[in-house]
Amino acid sequence: MLDAIADYVKDLAYVVSTVTEIDIEVVDRNLVRIAGTGIYADSVGDSITQAGALYTHALATAEPLYVDNPKENPLCFQCPNLDHCQEKLTLCSPIVADGEILGIIGLVCFNDDDRLKVQANRDIYIRFVQQIAETLARVATNERRSRENSRRLSTLLEITDANSRGVLVLGRDGRVTFVNDNARKELGITDGEEAGYSVTVAATGDVYSDMEEYAVIVSATASVTDGDAPALVDRDEHVVLGKFLQLDRQDDPAFDRALVFESRARLTAMLSRLGGSGGHGGVLGAIIGSGPIMLNLKKRVGQVANTSSTVLITGESGTGKEMFARAIHDSGPRRDKPFVAINCGAIPDALLESELFGYAQGAFTSADPSGRMGKIELADQGVLFLDEIGSMPLHLQVKLLRVLQERTFSRLGSNTTIKVDIRVIAATNEKLTSLIEQRMFREDLYYRLNVIPLEIPPLRERKKDIPELAEYFLDRYCRLFSKPPLRLSPSLLDIFTAYSWPGNIRELENCVEYMVNMHDGGPLSTRALPAKLAALASVPLPSVRPAIPQADEPVTAPIVPIARLEQEAIQNALRHFGDSADGKRRAAEALGIGIATLYRKIRPSDPK
């Protein structure tokens, strides 16, 4: 540790030697000479292990040592340099800092006059050498603490740079005195030129959770000559969320205030991941289906993913509209940004506005006193998915239209205009044109949304995808419920393909989940089917599987009129459920047709 203050030790040794006119030397705890005067001046850095018997004893006892007869003292008898020793008197004291011995300071006389002078004032010199040792210990301790503080500060600075938050420290004059890498990038402050920037921080009054919103104005000034006023060359404004701290350092005007902040874009990305709509994976390849209809849809997703145009996804409930919205997000340049979904039909009208636009502190009676960021703001830099857009009330459609047109909005209870960069994807299972005719949906909003239409066909129109989807769900639920692997028999696949699936993929998934739960061992059979599909189990169905002819055998397949197949399915369902009104209703549900259609088809043969 003494080597860290070697220059100070040398200067002090020289001053003490000059004042006392007696040589001084300082060695560290390894008996390496750190400083020396007189005959020791030219041997700084040398080890005195072979000739340091007295110093070794002082290191061992941690006590001062006074020897005025070196050649006659028993401690010196083992010294190999005894016969050539020129020392007349040695006074040394250990240098102890925080209980640790750092080295030895020695006062050495080489003539009788100096020896007699020290002997005459023995106690004074002993105390004097001890005080010099204590001084060196304090200096060494301060140096060590300074280095530790420097290392800690360096570590803290590394941590602030590794953390996503920006840290900005201002002096009393508003000048930047410290800025970490994240703040430098966010605020556009050039590395190495921090002193050339002045910053003004003003609270906007909006609060989110425990963070306030601030407008940060960064002004860069040109370098000036003495006597000239600084010239403003650049001015930029940023909106951030964080805390502005008063440091109360009266003794240091360079550290007056500190702003610890997140950029709104980074914060919204983080919050959307933590409190967003959950994850489906959303990668285009995760969408099951390899039929021509699905391949064409996937191709269209790839075409529209790299733009920022608004997309309107239409299709029946359960067709996977949100999956396609996520596929557009994950296939485009915003894939690393938020995907924020909100179901406009699942939230009461009174709450939907605050969910979308957020609200300022104290906006209304039951509001969170800290305010809240809305889904639009959370989606900044990313994608906002508006599901069931047809359920949005008219007064909110007007506000949404402004967001689509200008990409700006205000929180409830706030006059601050917030600008966002979002891509909007909307979805609906309703015909918006019909809602427009009923004056339940704005025509101008429809055209703003319908820039890129994407229609997802129902499952009954892409039957080639049914076996692939069914096998996928079967594998998934077998693993989920720790069941042995199961496979769908050809007869089950025929039933699946013949069914109309009014609930689309969601109904198919529920059906397979039900079957896995009901499976009681052995091959998966029609006994595990839900009631709706069980009615089809005993009806002869045309197979969707291509016939594989045997060698030298002609290919034959029975041709059955559709009307006959239909009547057989209806009669089988009625036998299964009964001919009562309730039985007919259940039969119609199992067949996937309306009750009116069922009555119409059985009327010619119905004796009633």
Side-chain angles (χ1 to χ4, degrees):
M1 190 64 198
L2 289 177
D3 58 348
I5 58 169
D7 290 340
Y8 179 85
V9 174
K10 292 174 184 177
D11 291 342
L12 184 62
Y14 176 78
V15 170
V16 173
S17 177
T18 302
V19 171
T20 61
E21 298 181 340
I22 300 173
D23 286 331
I24 300 292
E25 73 172 333
V26 179
V27 299
D28 65 15
R29 58 188 171 192
N30 297 316
L31 297 182
V32 174
R33 188 174 285 121
I34 301 297
T37 64
I39 66 173
Y40 299 134
D42 295 330
S43 55
V44 172
D46 292 351
S47 173
I48 65 167
T49 305
Q50 298 300 318
L54 298 180
Y55 290 172
T56 301
H57 180 78
L59 287 172
T61 62
E63 295 290 341
L65 181 63
Y66 175 84
V67 178
D68 58 2
N69 56 344
K71 289 189 176 182
E72 298 174 9
N73 192 293
L75 293 174
C76 298
F77 290 167
Q78 302 300 322
C79 179
N81 193 44
L82 182 63
D83 294 337
H84 305 286
C85 182
Q86 303 177 43
E87 297 180 8
K88 300 290 186 175
L89 181 146
T90 298
L91 170 58
C92 62
S93 177
I95 303 169
V96 184
D98 297 329
E100 178 186 0
I101 299 178
L102 305 181
I104 297 290
I105 178 172
L107 183 149
V108 184
C109 298
F110 290 98
N111 57 65
D112 291 333
D113 291 340
D114 291 342
R115 177 172 175 270
L116 291 172
K117 181 171 62 175
V118 173
Q119 284 179 325
N121 300 280
R122 179 178 181 272
D123 293 339
I124 295 175
Y125 275 97
I126 290 175
R127 183 57 187 155
F128 176 70
V129 171
Q130 284 181 305
Q131 289 178 342
I132 299 300
E134 290 170 2
T135 299
L136 290 175
R138 282 195 298 271
V139 174
T141 299
N142 291 337
E143 176 65 21
R144 176 164 57 189
R145 289 174 181 169
S146 176
R147 292 195 175 195
E148 288 175 353
N149 290 336
S150 178
R151 284 195 297 270
R152 288 171 184 166
L153 178 59
S154 178
T155 301
L156 287 173
L157 295 183
E158 289 179 10
I159 292 173
T160 63
D161 285 338
N163 190 278
S164 63
R165 293 194 171 188
V167 179
L168 176 72
V169 179
L170 304 176
R172 289 179 197 164
D173 59 357
R175 293 281 177 179
V176 176
T177 54
F178 170 75
V179 58
N180 74 339
D181 284 346
N182 291 306
R184 186 180 293 112
K185 293 173 185 175
E186 184 66 29
L187 303 177
I189 296 175
T190 305
D191 190 11
E193 299 180 9
E194 292 84 354
Y197 292 87
S198 63
V199 174
T200 302
V201 180
T204 66
D206 285 341
V207 180
Y208 183 79
S209 185
D210 62 339
M211 289 186 288
E212 291 189 61
E213 186 177 77
Y214 294 95
V216 181
I217 300 174
V218 181
S219 302
T221 54
S223 57
V224 296
T225 58
D226 292 342
D228 292 333
L232 184 66
V233 296
D234 195 14
R235 186 177 185 275
D236 199 8
E237 183 171 345
H238 308 265
V239 177
V240 300
L241 291 160
K243 289 188 175 182
F244 198 33
L245 310 173
Q246 186 67 44
L247 300 179
D248 292 328
R249 292 292 302 274
Q250 302 297 328
D251 59 332
D252 193 347
F255 293 89
D256 185 55
R257 291 159 295 160
L259 176 65
V260 181
F261 68 91
E262 285 276 14
S263 69
R264 193 167 62 206
R266 189 179 291 114
L267 180 67
T268 55
M270 177 184 68
L271 291 176
S272 67
R273 287 193 296 270
L274 294 177
S277 58
H280 292 273
V283 181
L284 187 60
I287 298 178
I288 306 299
S290 55
I293 295 177
M294 289 302 293
L295 291 178
N296 183 57
L297 275 174
K298 291 180 181 181
K299 180 180 178 182
R300 286 200 65 191
V301 167
Q303 290 173 331
V304 306
N306 290 320
T307 74
S308 59
S309 299
T310 304
V311 180
L312 179 62
I313 304 176
T314 57
E316 295 179 5
S317 179
T319 52
K321 295 185 289 296
E322 183 170 347
M323 284 288 289
F324 277 92
R326 289 183 177 275
I328 293 172
H329 168 252
D330 290 342
S331 301
R334 299 173 185 254
R335 64 178 64 89
D336 296 326
K337 304 299 181 182
F339 179 91
V340 179
I342 184 169
N343 190 318
C344 302
I347 302 174
D349 292 354
L351 298 179
L352 183 57
E353 184 173 10
S354 63
E355 284 291 320
L356 272 173
F357 297 93
Y359 53 83
Q361 183 178 14
F364 47 90
T365 303
S366 60
D368 186 325
S370 298
R372 176 178 292 181
M373 191 179 291
K375 293 292 193 286
I376 294 175
E377 199 169 349
L378 281 172
D380 190 27
Q381 305 294 318
V383 169
L384 176 66
F385 176 57
L386 301 172
D387 200 6
E388 296 190 34
I389 187 67
S391 301
M392 179 176 286
L394 283 169
H395 75 281
L396 290 186
Q397 293 180 28
V398 177
K399 296 189 70 172
L400 178 61
L401 184 63
R402 181 188 175 190
V403 175
L404 293 174
Q405 290 173 334
E406 303 175 12
R407 293 300 194 265
T408 60
F409 73 99
S410 297
R411 295 179 189 166
L412 292 177
S414 173
N415 294 322
T416 303
T417 299
I418 299 173
K419 188 173 182 62
V420 288
D421 173 17
I422 57 174
R423 182 177 194 179
V424 176
I425 301 177
T428 181
N429 57 10
E430 301 180 85
K431 289 189 178 298
L432 295 184
T433 51
S434 298
L435 294 179
I436 293 172
E437 293 174 359
Q438 300 171 41
R439 298 184 179 277
M440 296 176 64
F441 201 84
R442 293 182 61 93
E443 187 174 12
D444 48 3
L445 178 59
Y446 171 73
Y447 288 118
R448 281 286 180 181
L449 292 171
N450 198 37
V451 177
I452 300 178
L454 194 67
E455 183 178 359
I456 313 300
L459 190 56
R460 60 182 174 273
E461 293 182 10
R462 48 189 181 101
K463 291 184 178 291
K464 288 187 178 181
D465 295 330
I466 291 176
E468 189 177 353
L469 284 164
E471 292 289 355
Y472 169 78
F473 291 131
L474 187 62
D475 288 341
R476 176 181 174 183
Y477 284 107
C478 283
R479 289 194 302 270
L480 184 62
F481 300 148
S482 300
K483 298 265 188 172
L486 298 172
R487 285 293 173 264
L488 294 169
S489 65
S491 59
L492 284 173
L493 286 175
D494 287 344
I495 293 172
F496 278 10
T497 308
Y499 184 58
S500 61
W501 300 108
N504 293 294
I505 298 174
R506 189 178 294 121
E507 184 183 8
L508 174 60
E509 180 179 1
N510 291 345
C511 173
V512 173
E513 183 179 358
Y514 174 87
M515 293 175 67
V516 174
N517 275 289
M518 295 297 105
H519 180 250
D520 55 2
L524 198 61
S525 67
T526 56
R527 292 194 307 273
L529 285 170
K532 281 187 177 183
L533 280 81
L536 300 177
S538 58
V539 178
L541 297 171
S543 175
V544 296
R545 303 178 308 281
I548 303 177
Q550 301 296 323
D552 302 324
E553 287 186 6
V555 178
T556 60
I559 299 175
V560 182
I562 292 176
R564 177 183 166 188
L565 289 172
E566 186 179 73
Q567 284 300 316
E568 288 179 354
I570 292 173
Q571 292 304 319
N572 183 69
L574 291 174
R575 283 193 296 271
H576 182 82
F577 292 107
D579 198 34
S580 64
D582 183 64
K584 290 175 181 176
R585 179 185 60 77
R586 295 171 62 191
E589 291 179 357
L591 292 169
I593 60 177
I595 186 65
T597 302
L598 178 69
Y599 274 107
R600 187 175 66 254
K601 291 183 178 295
I602 66 176
R603 187 174 293 117
S605 58
D606 191 343
K608 299 179 181 177

